[in-house]
Amino acid sequence: MKIEGLQALISGGASGLGAACARMIIAAGGQATIVDVNEAAGHAFAAETGAKFIPADVTKAADIEQVIAGIDRLSIAISCAGVGISQRTISKEGPASLEAFTRVITINLIGSFNLARLAAWKMSANTPNEGGERGVIINTASVAAFDGQIGQAAYSASKGGVAGMTLPMARDLSKLGIRVVTIAPGIFDTPMLAALPDEVRASLGASVPFPSRLGKPEEYGSLARHIIENAMLNGEVIRLDGALRMAPK
C-alpha cells in the first residue's frame, strides 16, 4: 500500500515508537491520528507535527470505537501502547501482585486486540486497492516474548500473546485483504528506558551484538513503513533487535 493519502491510527502515539510511526506516516504523505493516555504529551506532539490527537485508553472499547468512528477511511492501524513491570513470581515478600500482572496483560495484549478488532471492522468496509488490499494492522511485541528475563513474567506473557495472535488474526482477515504483522523490537531508546542512569543505558546498548547501541524509534518506524508498502508481509513476527538474545538477567 502507498501511504500517501491514507489515514492511520496509532496507539501510544505521543512518544517513543508510536510517535516515530506517526512522523513516518506524515512524512510519507499520510494522515496520522494518535491516541494516548498522556494528554499533555499528545497535545504537544500534535501541535508540533500536525497529527490529530485524541485522548483514549486502548483497553476501553467505547474509547476506541469513538476514535475510529471519527476517521473517514482507516487503512493503517499501529499498536504501540504498552507498559512494563519487573516482579518475580515469588519473592521474600510473598507471591507476585496479581493486580500488577493483570494490568500489564490488559494494556499490552487486550489493548492491542481491542484496537485491532475495531480497526479491522472499519477497514472491512474499504474499497480494496488494485492489489486487493483494504488495510494493514501492525502490532508491537518484544524480544521478551521469546527471551523473557528474570522478573519479566507479566511483560513476556503479554508480548507472547501479541506474537501468538498474529498468524490467526492474519488468517481471519485474509479474505478481506487486511494484513497483520507484528514487530518484536529489542532494546530501544524509548521513554520506558529514559529514566535509567546513563551507565545502565550504555550497558544495555553494549549487549546488542550489532549495532551495539540502543535501537532508535525511527528504525522501528522505518520497518513499519516497509511492512505497509510490502504486500507479501503478512502473518509474521519480525524481530528488530540487532541479533540480541536476552540473558536471564
Side-chain angles (χ1 to χ4, degrees), residues 110-131:
I110 297 175
S112 296
F113 182 73
N114 184 40
L115 189 142
R117 72 185 182 95
L118 295 172
W121 179 248
K122 181 78 170 187
M123 292 173 183
S124 69
N126 291 345
T127 300
N129 65 11
E130 63 277 7

Side-chain angles (χ1 to χ4, degrees), residues 14 22 48 50 57 86 96 103 114 119 128 132 150 160 167 196 221 230 236:
E48 175 197 346
D57 183 340
S86 180
R103 178 174 180 268
N114 184 40
I150 289 171
L167 181 58
L196 296 177
N230 190 332
E236 186 58 86

Side-chain angles (χ1 to χ4, degrees), residues 186-212:
I187 306 173
F188 271 65
D189 193 6
T190 65
M192 197 175 290
L193 294 183
L196 296 177
D198 289 343
E199 60 270 21
V200 175
R201 289 160 51 84
S203 176
L204 288 171
S207 69
V208 180
F210 186 83
S212 296

Side-chain angles (χ1 to χ4, degrees), residues 6-7 71-75 122 125-129 133-134:
L6 297 183
Q7 297 184 30
I71 300 175
D72 295 332
R73 179 187 165 95
L74 179 63
S75 299
K122 181 78 170 187
N126 291 345
T127 300
N129 65 11
E133 291 186 90
R134 287 187 169 90

Side-chain angles (χ1 to χ4, degrees), residues 6-240:
L6 297 183
Q7 297 184 30
L9 174 61
I10 303 159
S11 71
S15 64
L17 305 180
C21 288
R23 292 182 190 277
M24 176 274 292
I25 293 292
I26 294 168
Q31 300 173 40
T33 297
I34 64 168
V35 296
D36 207 295
V37 294
N38 188 332
E39 294 193 30
H43 286 301
F45 183 80
E48 175 197 346
T49 63
K52 181 179 180 180
F53 170 62
I54 303 174
D57 183 340
V58 293
T59 68
K60 297 179 180 177
D63 277 15
I64 304 305
E65 286 170 358
Q66 185 173 7
V67 171
I68 290 178
I71 300 175
D72 295 332
R73 179 187 165 95
L74 179 63
S75 299
I76 302 164
I78 306 176
S79 284
C80 292
V83 297
I85 61 167
S86 180
Q87 62 170 7
R88 298 194 182 212
T89 307
I90 62 170
S91 67
K92 294 178 180 178
E93 288 72 39
S97 165
L98 185 59
E99 181 181 2
F101 186 95
T102 301
R103 178 174 180 268
V104 173
I105 296 294
T106 301
I107 295 172
N108 295 0
L109 176 56
I110 297 175
S112 296
F113 182 73
N114 184 40
L115 189 142
R117 72 185 182 95
L118 295 172
W121 179 248
K122 181 78 170 187
M123 292 173 183
S124 69
N126 291 345
T127 300
N129 65 11
E130 63 277 7
E133 291 186 90
R134 287 187 169 90
V136 181
I137 296 169
I138 299 174
N139 291 321
T140 304
S142 166
V143 296
F146 316 104
D147 312 328
Q149 296 185 295
I150 289 171
Q152 292 293 310
Y155 189 71
S156 293
S158 70
K159 296 302 187 177
V162 172
M165 73 183 180
T166 304
L167 181 58
M169 189 182 294
R171 287 171 165 172
D172 285 348
L173 302 174
S174 60
K175 291 185 178 179
L176 294 168
I178 300 171
R179 295 186 287 118
V180 182
V181 178
T182 293
I183 301 174
I187 306 173
F188 271 65
D189 193 6
T190 65
M192 197 175 290
L193 294 183
L196 296 177
D198 289 343
E199 60 270 21
V200 175
R201 289 160 51 84
S203 176
L204 288 171
S207 69
V208 180
F210 186 83
S212 296
R213 57 169 173 79
L214 299 178
K216 301 174 183 178
E218 55 265 33
E219 291 170 327
Y220 181 101
S222 178
L223 178 54
R225 177 169 185 167
H226 184 71
I227 291 168
I228 294 164
E229 294 178 338
N230 190 332
M232 279 302 291
L233 282 172
N234 192 19
E236 186 58 86
V237 179
I238 304 171
R239 290 183 67 132
L240 186 65

